[in-house]
Amino acid sequence: MQTHDLELPDCAGGESFALMVMGHSMAPEFLEGEIIIIEPEGLAKDGAYVLAWHNEEWTFRQLVRTEAGWVLHPLSPAFADAPLADLSAVRGVIIQKALPGRRRASKHYI
């Protein structure tokens, strides 16, 4: 997901917002062009899909707890895991995805 210039909304109460998936690092679960809904105050837990600020860019990955600590895990094997020192990089949890124009293609993650 390329969101280099994205600034997270500074809304009272941490309102949810939407982004479009770019790229194929999270395929097959999330495809390019799908819309994801992010909850800034969502619970970041093992297995959750998250939006994180990592290596000076926004990234969308699955949060996974390993014996060595937390990692941002892409679903596509063509991409590598990225270790996290702690969860401060996680800025939101994906709660829903949808394909524009196809209501029945919507899926909730909470």
Side-chain angles (χ1 to χ4, degrees):
M1 163 173 267
Q2 298 176 353
T3 54
H4 303 287
D5 298 323
L6 174 73
E7 289 187 33
L8 288 181
D10 188 17
C11 303
E15 294 178 18
S16 299
F17 60 95
L19 294 174
M20 181 179 284
V21 175
M22 306 288 286
H24 60 279
S25 64
M26 292 299 287
E29 181 66 23
F30 298 90
L31 303 176
E32 187 163 16
E34 289 181 324
I35 304 298
I36 54 175
I37 308 298
I38 296 96
E39 172 63 47
E41 295 180 355
L43 179 62
K45 61 182 181 178
D46 186 34
Y49 298 110
V50 299
L51 178 68
W53 179 252
H54 183 70
N55 289 338
E56 300 300 314
E57 67 179 4
W58 292 105
T59 189
F60 161 48
R61 297 285 190 263
Q62 184 176 36
L63 184 64
V64 175
R65 177 85 176 168
T66 68
E67 289 182 17
W70 293 102
V71 297
L72 295 173
H73 175 70
L75 299 181
S76 170
F79 296 83
D81 285 347
L84 291 176
D86 56 43
L87 295 180
S88 65
V90 175
R91 303 294 174 85
V93 176
I94 285 60
I95 60 171
Q96 182 180 352
K97 77 169 181 175
L99 187 59
R102 296 188 59 200
R103 290 178 110 177
R104 294 179 191 224
S106 183
K107 183 174 180 181
H108 295 266
Y109 293 95
I110 293 186

